Amino acid sequence: MNETIGLILLIVGISFDVVGCIGLVRLPDIYNRLQAATKCVTLGTCMILLSVVFYTGLNSIGVKALLCIWFVLITAPTGAHAIARAAHRSGIRLWEGSVMDKYADDKEGTEDTA
Amino acid sequence: MKRFVHFLLLLGIWMLLTWSLHWQDLLVGAFIAFIADLMFGDIYPVNAVRILNPVRFFWFVVYGVTFLAYVIKANFDVAYRVLNINMPIRPGIVKVRTGLKTDMARTFLANSITLTPGTLSIDFIGDHLYIHWINITSDDAVKETEIIVQRFEQMLERVFE
Amino acid sequence: MIVFVSLLVFCVFLCLYRVGKGPTAPDRTVAIDILGTLVVGFCAIYSIVTKKDLYMNIGLSWALLSFIGTLALAKYLEGRGFDE
């Protein structure tokens, strides 16, 4: 029973990983790529780690997998935020099809005076 | 008191990592937790201890369940957008306003926004949060705030403020 | 299990394509960050197969260290010092 749940979680997690990496290749600019890659790969890897818990039970491997889920959930969005901010500050524009960029509008007003 | 709670927390993580109750492991763990607490104890968020209050803990569980539901929804949303031939995206950066004050609550809010459907937090300036949105549906700042921020704001206010 | 590992290897090749081609430096940084998360997935699958906690130790340290590497790269791209 536990192995079946683990197998299902493993399959779903790896399909999310594949979708995230396809998004990393297909989408047009850095910010969209960050969105797809961060969300899908984070949840995919968390599901793989959760399937470790179902396969092995709550022994030293399972507890480490749970801690690893916690670390990945905390660190992945923070890393994505740091990269997005760095990209915007180092002057990379949005894709041509973008609708608006209020961050650039506001920043031009403040950076010259500061 | 605060230091002691941090010490117990670090020792707990150490025990989970080593997964043994041998006295030598415990001794090394206590020593390392003490050193880490001495070095980094003052940069802990101040009100991390207050989460132990049962009412706050209850709202934290509610927040966690809602958050997980949104994360799974986000993944199907992204999968739909990536695998569709036409790629139905309409990206842009919007500016929303939040009423949260403490650092911890703001950190949780920004991380939740990054992991929920179609939004990625970019920067915090003052009370305003800049968000990259993959599919903008409205031009009105008030409505954007309603859609993006208020999913989590009230729960986080009950947990951390 | 060999199917799952091959699918993850396919993901790694997609990431490497983005690392090689990526028009700007942040694109490459994102791909490297995602690569680090995929390695954690590899470690998890290996620990299922071998039933040893050695691989989970590697995965834990890899998750934390790749996060620090990403932050360092982001700060470098932003043109700030490391001590801020």
Side-chain angles (χ1 to χ4, degrees):
Chain A
M1 182 61 202
N2 274 352
E3 296 221 339
T4 318
I5 299 175
L7 192 64
I8 292 170
L9 280 174
L10 200 58
I11 291 171
V12 175
I14 288 184
S15 7
F16 276 141
D17 270 8
V18 173
V19 168
C21 286
I22 292 174
L24 187 68
V25 171
R26 267 198 82 194
L27 288 170
D29 78 343
I30 166 89
Y31 306 101
N32 295 316
R33 279 175 204 146
L34 261 177
Q35 294 229 8
T38 311
K39 284 184 192 104
C40 283
V41 176
T42 305
L43 187 75
T45 306
C46 284
M47 280 190 166
I48 296 174
L49 289 166
L50 201 61
S51 85
V52 174
V53 181
F54 277 104
Y55 265 103
T56 62
L58 269 183
N59 49 19
S60 71
I61 307 177
V63 169
K64 272 172 199 161
L66 284 178
L67 275 173
C68 206
I69 290 177
W70 176 246
F71 287 147
V72 169
L73 269 185
I74 293 279
T75 57
T78 317
H81 155 77
I83 297 173
R85 195 172 116 129
H88 206 288
R89 293 210 171 179
S90 63
I92 290 164
R93 295 287 127 204
L94 270 70
W95 179 48
E96 303 91 52
S98 305
V99 183
M100 57 175 103
D101 188 355
K102 290 197 179 160
Y103 189 39
D105 300 344
D106 286 4
K107 217 168 52 173
E108 272 164 22
T110 53
E111 289 239 325
D112 293 337
T113 54
Chain B
M1 178 59 201
K2 202 178 104 192
R3 291 264 167 141
F4 188 64
V5 173
H6 294 159
F7 174 76
L8 283 185
L9 209 68
L10 289 171
L11 190 58
I13 291 175
W14 172 271
M15 281 163 69
L16 284 181
L17 278 175
T18 55
W19 200 250
S20 85
L21 285 175
H22 197 273
W23 65 271
Q24 288 179 342
D25 282 334
L26 284 180
L27 193 67
V28 174
F31 181 68
I32 291 177
F34 182 69
I35 297 284
D37 195 18
L38 269 189
M39 287 170 72
F40 302 113
D42 51 339
I43 61 171
Y44 271 58
V46 182
N47 58 359
V49 185
R50 282 161 62 187
I51 194 87
L52 296 175
N53 180 333
V55 178
R56 289 175 194 277
F57 193 75
F58 168 74
W59 280 107
F60 190 68
V61 171
V62 172
Y63 158 76
V65 172
T66 326
F67 173 65
L68 273 183
Y70 272 115
V71 168
I72 291 169
K73 196 178 146 202
N75 276 273
F76 284 107
D77 182 69
V78 169
Y80 161 70
R81 286 184 206 289
V82 166
L83 297 178
N84 197 321
I85 308 263
N86 300 321
M87 274 203 295
I89 57 174
R90 196 165 170 268
I93 295 182
V94 299
K95 177 182 180 183
V96 298
R97 196 189 151 72
T98 172
L100 297 176
K101 294 286 176 243
T102 53
D103 286 347
M104 195 80 178
R106 288 181 167 190
T107 312
F108 267 84
L109 180 69
N111 277 6
S112 322
I113 284 174
T114 299
L115 285 177
T116 46
T119 49
L120 172 79
S121 55
I122 290 187
D123 204 355
F124 234 121
I125 296 177
D127 274 349
H128 294 282
L129 191 57
Y130 294 88
I131 288 173
H132 183 266
W133 199 357
I134 204 167
N135 190 23
I136 292 180
T137 50
S138 79
D139 271 347
D140 183 22
V142 179
K143 214 175 159 208
E144 284 157 5
T145 309
E146 251 175 41
I147 294 175
I148 297 174
V149 175
Q150 290 184 351
R151 293 196 273 233
F152 298 113
E153 200 173 30
Q154 289 172 348
M155 283 175 247
L156 284 174
E157 202 173 350
R158 288 197 177 101
V159 177
F160 290 110
E161 303 246 323
Chain C
M1 285 296 168
I2 191 76
V3 183
F4 302 140
V5 175
S6 340
L7 276 172
L8 275 184
V9 170
F10 173 66
C11 288
V12 167
F13 275 111
L14 289 178
C15 284
L16 285 179
Y17 169 78
R18 185 46 74 195
V19 172
K21 186 176 175 254
T24 61
D27 285 303
R28 299 192 166 103
T29 315
V30 175
I32 291 169
D33 185 30
I34 298 305
L35 213 56
T37 317
L38 286 178
V39 171
V40 179
F42 272 114
C43 293
I45 291 182
Y46 278 0
S47 78
I48 292 177
V49 173
T50 61
K51 306 271 183 207
K52 282 182 184 162
D53 65 347
L54 162 72
Y55 291 104
M56 256 356 276
N57 289 342
I58 299 173
L60 263 173
S61 4
W62 199 293
L64 293 173
L65 284 179
S66 91
F67 169 64
I68 293 174
T70 308
L71 280 192
L73 274 172
K75 292 225 169 192
Y76 167 70
L77 288 175
E78 207 168 321
R80 289 188 296 179
F82 287 118
D83 53 359
E84 192 181 331

